[in-house]
Amino acid sequence: MAHILIIDDDGALLMTVRAALMTKGHSVKQAKDGLDGLDFANKDAFDLIITDANMPGGVSGYQLVQNLRKTGAYQNVPIIFLTGRREKKDVIRALESGADDYVVKPIDYDLLLSKVDLLLKSGRVVPTANAPNSPSPSKGEGSANVQFAATWSLNVQIETLTETGLAIQSSFKVPIGFEIEIESTMFKEIGISAPKLTVIACLENPESGAGFTIETRFLEISKVDARRVADWVRAAAKKQSY
Amino acid sequence: MEELKMSHLNLELIEKLRSFQIPGEPDMITEIVGILLSTAPSKMNSLTLQIASGDLVAASKEAHSLKSSALSLGAERLGAICQAIESIAGAGMSATAGKMKADALLLDLRAEWIIVQGELHRLS
C-alpha cells in the first residue's frame, strides 16, 4: 500500500480524505499549507501527493508542484490537485504546473479513490521524445545483459565558479544528487585537476528552450586545489570589479 | 445557482463519510461538525468586514475557504452561495455593483448558515 501526502488548509477535508485513503490501506500524512507540504515532502518519501490549489502561507499548490517537479525525488511521483476551482483554465494551470490529475470539490470520494488507485498502478506518464517505432534497447531476442562502466560526454557551459562549486548551463536535466565529472580548460588555467561534482539543484531556465542551470558542489577536492580555486575566484572577482 | 436541487446538508455524503470511520479513532463526523461550527462564524465575520470595506478580492479568498469547509460536510447551498461571492471579484463588475451583489449574497449566506447550524447540531 502507498504512503500518501495530503496538503490542504481545510482541517475537515484533511480528516475525511485521510480516512477515505486509510480504508484502502494507505498510510497518510497531512500538511496544512504549501510550506509544510514541501517540508514534509523533503523529509519523507511519498508515493503520491494530493494538494489543494489555493492555500495560505505563501506557497500555492501550483508553486508546490513546480517546486517538487524540480527535485529528483518527485519528478515521477503522481500528483493530484483537489480543489474548489472548477474552470478549465484552472485545470490547465494545474496540469501545466506538473500535476497528473484533477478532482473538483465537493469531493466524489469514489472518483478520488479510483484516480489514486489508477495513478499508483500506472505511475506517472511523462511525454518523451522517443519515436514510437524506433527499436528500444530492452531485454529480448538479440540482446545481451552487460555490465561495463561507461561515460557520457555532453557539451555544457560553465557560467559561475565559487569556492565550493560551479553552475553549468545545460540542455539536459540532471537529477539532484547525481555525481558528474567535467573537463574544461578553466581547470587548467586555475592549475587543478578536474574535480568531481555533485548536483545540488537543477533549475529550468525561464526563457523557453533555454535549458537548465545545474548548480553543483565539489566532491573530493584536495586542500591544495581548494585553495587554488579560492585564490582564483577572488582574483577573478577583483578583476571584474574594476 | 440551482438552489432548489441542493441540500442544506447532503445526508448521503455524511453516510459515505461515516463508512470511512477508522475504528478506535474519535467519531469523525462529530469532529468535522465541531470544526465547521467553530470556524465558520469567524470566516463569516471576516467576510462581512471585507465586503463592507469593498475589498472584494479578500472576500473572494475568504469565501473560497468557507466554501471548502462547507462542502466537506455536504452543505451544498452554503457552498454555492460562497461560490457566488467568490466569483464577484473576477466578474468585471463595477465596484458599486459588485458590493451590492456581495451584500445581497451575504444576507443569503447568513440565513443559510442559521439553517445549516441547526442541522449540524442535530447531527453531532
Side-chain angles (χ1 to χ4, degrees):
Chain A
M1 287 295 111
H3 189 37
I4 298 175
L5 174 65
I6 327 166
I7 308 150
D8 202 300
D9 57 315
D10 183 354
L13 180 134
L14 286 175
M15 210 178 276
T16 57
V17 176
R18 170 182 169 265
L21 291 167
M22 286 175 74
T23 58
K24 299 290 174 194
H26 302 303
S27 64
V28 180
K29 195 150 187 177
Q30 307 160 83
K32 64 179 187 329
D33 58 40
L35 214 56
D36 267 2
L38 275 178
D39 189 37
F40 290 169
N42 287 327
K43 288 179 181 162
D44 209 338
F46 294 97
D47 303 307
L48 186 139
I49 295 172
I50 298 172
T51 182
D52 190 8
N54 294 82
M55 293 177 282
V59 178
S60 71
Y62 309 106
Q63 290 166 318
L64 172 105
V65 176
Q66 281 168 345
N67 234 296
L68 289 175
R69 289 299 186 218
K70 284 178 192 162
T71 65
Y74 287 99
Q75 271 172 7
N76 294 313
V77 169
I79 301 178
I80 300 175
F81 262 81
L82 180 56
T83 167
R85 298 191 163 274
R86 57 189 63 205
E87 287 180 34
K88 194 175 171 185
K89 66 175 185 337
D90 300 317
V91 182
I92 290 171
R93 191 177 169 198
L95 295 175
E96 279 178 345
S97 73
D100 299 290
D101 213 331
Y102 197 96
V103 176
V104 176
K105 298 172 187 172
I107 306 169
D108 177 334
Y109 287 91
D110 292 331
L111 178 72
L112 176 66
L113 292 174
S114 74
K115 287 192 171 193
V116 166
D117 193 37
L118 191 71
L119 278 170
L120 286 172
K121 276 183 191 149
S122 64
R124 198 164 182 245
V125 179
V126 184
T128 66
N130 286 345
N133 297 322
S134 61
S136 69
S138 58
K139 290 175 185 175
E141 204 179 324
S143 71
N145 292 329
V146 295
Q147 294 288 324
F148 286 95
T151 55
W152 181 14
S153 298
L154 297 171
N155 288 324
V156 293
Q157 181 78 27
I158 300 173
E159 293 229 315
T160 316
L161 173 69
T162 69
E163 293 179 21
T164 54
L166 42 92
I168 304 160
Q169 289 300 317
S170 160
S171 0
F172 292 88
K173 210 184 249 190
V174 182
I176 291 166
F178 203 71
E179 289 181 16
I180 54 174
E181 287 180 64
I182 57 172
E183 290 293 338
S184 167
T185 51
M186 183 183 78
F187 300 129
K188 229 178 236 174
E189 197 180 314
I190 300 170
I192 62 170
S193 47
K196 277 192 178 175
L197 302 158
T198 182
V199 176
I200 56 165
C202 180
L203 308 167
E204 191 168 2
N205 295 327
E207 300 85 22
S208 168
F212 300 87
T213 298
I214 299 166
E215 291 175 16
T216 65
R217 287 273 178 272
F218 295 130
L219 271 178
E220 301 167 17
I221 188 169
S222 71
K223 277 186 184 170
V224 177
D225 280 2
R227 201 176 313 122
R228 281 181 182 160
V229 171
D231 290 346
W232 196 89
V233 168
R234 270 196 293 274
K238 208 171 171 185
K239 229 184 264 174
Q240 282 162 15
S241 68
Y242 290 134
Chain B
M1 199 190 320
E2 293 179 21
E3 204 170 309
L4 290 176
K5 288 181 192 167
M6 293 179 185
S7 349
H8 297 299
L9 274 187
N10 181 338
L11 297 178
E12 259 179 53
L13 174 69
I14 289 162
E15 277 318 298
K16 184 90 185 168
L17 295 178
R18 281 194 203 285
S19 73
F20 298 145
Q21 176 65 41
I22 300 161
E25 288 204 356
D27 184 72
M28 190 168 66
I29 298 297
T30 308
E31 298 241 320
I32 301 171
V33 167
I35 290 174
L36 193 53
L37 284 173
S38 64
T39 58
S42 64
K43 284 180 182 175
M44 278 200 292
N45 286 342
S46 302
L47 201 52
T48 307
L49 293 173
Q50 286 153 354
I51 292 171
S53 68
D55 189 350
L56 295 179
V57 174
S60 170
K61 286 182 185 165
E62 197 66 55
H64 178 81
S65 167
L66 182 56
K67 177 182 78 178
S68 181
S69 305
L71 293 179
S72 64
L73 261 181
E76 293 171 348
R77 288 188 193 191
L78 200 66
I81 301 166
C82 290
Q83 172 66 55
I85 296 174
E86 190 186 340
S87 305
I88 295 173
M93 288 182 204
S94 70
T96 315
K99 190 177 174 310
M100 275 176 69
K101 188 168 182 195
D103 279 333
L105 286 165
L106 189 62
L107 188 64
D108 205 9
L109 186 75
R110 291 201 165 279
E112 182 62 23
W113 172 242
I114 289 168
I115 298 166
V116 170
Q117 219 174 358
E119 297 213 2
L120 288 173
H121 278 293
R122 271 194 291 279
L123 260 186
S124 58

